[in-house]
Amino acid sequence: MGRAAQRSEPVLYNRLAVMRAERGLSRQELADALDVNYQTIGYLERGEYNPSLDLALRAAEYFAVPVEAIFSRKPFTPMSEQLYGGARG
Amino acid sequence: MVRAWSSWRHTWLDGYPQRTRRTVALVSLLAYPLSFVIPKPFGLAVLLAAAFGAISLLVFLLGQRTLSRDLDERQRLIRSRAWAICYWIMSLLVLTGVVLVESVFLVTDRLPTFDVRTVQAVANSAVMFVFTLPLATLAWIEPDPPGEG
């Protein structure tokens, strides 16, 4: 999950790291696909940079999911919790 | 296999940690003016000035390449921040100079005069400073890249 953006920028959480890991992509490969520098992927994943609308839409298009599945203004719940529920023993 | 265009977007700043970049930036900005105030035996000052001038020119040329390449949106944002900081630094320096001259004028009731050597040194330093400042600022504010994870 993306860490909250620093400075005075609005907080934007994202699932880029999870989605990239699920697909077995390196940062460089994702950067190539989104036409950005590989470091920008790292800053995005750490929540230290908020993407433009264009870049967010390109990411959504690349992963073939709605943009709100990747970026959110509220923290994401873990995917396992979403899939299997949060109930414990 | 053809390498994607974005992977060529690495600038020369990418490969060095922030501490190294800041050291180079400080040396580039301070060494040239300093060479005019240190003792000058055996033409050392001229030699140092020439060396630092060459370094500044090299930094400027590398910077031109770095600042003008096809950057992505985050890099363009950082570059804009660097230009904005440069603007404020230059404004502050010019304002400081004007205030100093004006202060001397108010106290002594005449404008300060400088010998040719001093004026030339200040002018040379200012030129090198202007050349080097944008990239030095960029090198200063660009954070270390996040590790692969």
Side-chain angles (χ1 to χ4, degrees), chain B residues 11-34:
Chain B
T11 65
W12 74 285
L13 292 172
D14 290 349
Y16 299 95
Q18 191 180 50
R19 177 179 282 188
T20 305
R21 285 185 271 116
R22 287 185 169 186
T23 304
V24 172
L26 273 180
V27 169
S28 300
L29 289 175
L30 296 179
Y32 193 76
L34 278 178

Side-chain angles (χ1 to χ4, degrees), chain B residues 35 38-51 117:
Chain B
S35 68
I38 60 171
K40 303 172 177 58
F42 314 115
L44 181 63
V46 176
L47 192 67
L48 283 175
R117 187 182 176 83

Side-chain angles (χ1 to χ4, degrees), chain B residues 11 36 40 61 135:
Chain B
T11 65
F36 286 97
K40 303 172 177 58
L61 292 174
L135 191 71

